[in-house]
Amino acid sequence: YLPQSYERDSSKHFPVIYLLDGSAHEDFIHIAGLVQFGSFSWIDMVPESIVVGIANVDRVRDFTYPSASERDQKEFPNAGHSKNFIHFMEKELQPVIENSFRTEGPNTLIGQSFGGLLATEVLFTKAHLFDHYIIVSPSLWWDDEKLLRRKYEPTAAPQSIFIAVGNEGEIMEKVARQLHLKLLADKHEGTELFFRFLEDKSHGDALHLAAYLAFEEIFKSGKK
């Protein structure tokens, strides 16, 4: 998705929002529409931005690191290749976007469920790849919650991290809250951290409201 002013003003450059589960049959259309709506001058919730939807080939394979859990291995035998996917984002996707379009300013990553697991792994292992992280209903139960035991090393540059979870049961809510508390304890003083419990939303419908609230918080006036 390209902003309306992209063609009108060839001197203008734009931030980029990268969306996991980002095909037209997944979450691309409603997130792109939310960015379009939020960037109207009379709304001014989010800056005009390029939205890059990353369509899935095999989301379980691509969004999970190898699990030592026999349960995970049995239920998801093709899992465990997130390292390759993160390498693809860093070494192929981001350079293509930056070389093909007029980009400037913050990069944002949005991920939900297994996509939220991947976004958390990127945050813990290559935090510098994105300036803003929107992590919704992350499947941090994966590998018996071992990702939550990894050390988080924030970047020196300012970042924003928005975590949200719906009314999704004890385990999902617990791991999301644990992620928030872990980041709260370890974050850099320049890192802004937000948490929202969406009590009237489920795992299936939390993303849209979470993205809206995240844009409101992350892109407040003066932080765009």
Side-chain angles (χ1 to χ4, degrees), residues 108-112 116 119-120 123 131-138 159-166 176 179-180 183 191-198 206-220 223:
T108 300
L109 180 64
I110 302 176
Q112 183 201 23
T120 304
L123 178 64
D131 304 285
H132 305 311
Y133 288 82
I134 300 174
I135 301 171
V136 183
S137 306
Q159 286 186 311
S160 296
I161 306 165
F162 183 98
I163 303 163
V165 66
L179 175 61
H180 173 242
L183 297 176
T191 301
E192 291 190 304
L193 181 63
F194 309 95
F195 178 85
R196 294 291 183 274
F197 174 56
L198 310 176
L207 179 63
H208 193 100
L209 177 59
Y212 188 100
L213 296 173
F215 290 158
E216 280 191 320
E217 293 287 5
I218 290 172
F219 296 114
K220 280 179 180 176
K223 296 192 296 183

Side-chain angles (χ1 to χ4, degrees), residues 11 22 45 58 66 81 87 92 102 106 125 127 130 132 140 173 181 189 198 201:
S11 67
M45 178 176 67
D58 184 338
H81 298 275
H87 182 271
E92 298 183 47
R102 301 192 307 273
T125 60
F130 300 94
H132 305 311
L140 291 166
E173 294 170 29
L181 291 174
E189 63 179 12
L198 310 176
K201 300 301 178 187

Side-chain angles (χ1 to χ4, degrees), residues 17-172:
I17 296 171
Y18 291 87
L19 173 66
L20 301 172
D21 294 310
S23 78
H25 301 292
E26 297 169 309
D27 298 324
F28 179 79
I29 292 175
H30 70 266
I31 294 297
L34 185 58
V35 172
Q36 180 196 39
F37 168 78
S39 64
F40 288 147
S41 60
W42 57 93
I43 304 296
D44 194 28
M45 178 176 67
V46 58
E48 285 193 302
S49 302
I50 297 169
V51 180
V52 177
I54 309 172
N56 285 319
V57 175
D58 184 338
R59 70 192 301 271
V60 173
R61 179 195 68 187
D62 294 336
F63 292 173
T64 59
Y65 63 89
S67 173
S69 164
E70 291 183 5
R71 177 201 62 196
D72 293 345
Q73 293 172 9
K74 182 178 180 179
E75 188 171 354
F76 304 103
N78 200 37
H81 298 275
S82 60
K83 184 177 180 179
N84 293 338
F85 191 82
I86 294 170
H87 182 271
F88 153 74
M89 289 198 298
E90 178 181 13
K91 301 300 184 181
E92 298 183 47
L93 179 60
Q94 285 189 331
V96 165
I97 297 301
E98 291 166 4
N99 291 329
S100 302
F101 300 95
R102 301 192 307 273
T103 67
E104 185 178 66
N107 287 328
T108 300
L109 180 64
I110 302 176
Q112 183 201 23
S113 192
F114 272 136
L117 175 71
L118 182 86
T120 304
E121 183 181 357
V122 175
L123 178 64
F124 282 4
T125 60
K126 289 184 176 286
H128 65 279
L129 291 184
F130 300 94
D131 304 285
H132 305 311
Y133 288 82
I134 300 174
I135 301 171
V136 183
S137 306
S139 295
L140 291 166
W141 50 264
W142 180 258
D143 191 28
D144 296 323
E145 305 175 17
K146 288 189 179 70
L147 187 58
L148 287 168
R149 301 173 208 168
R150 286 198 191 184
K151 182 174 177 56
Y152 165 59
E153 297 182 358
T155 64
Q159 286 186 311
S160 296
I161 306 165
F162 183 98
I163 303 163
V165 66
N167 194 346
E168 305 177 38
E170 180 181 355
I171 293 176
M172 291 296 293

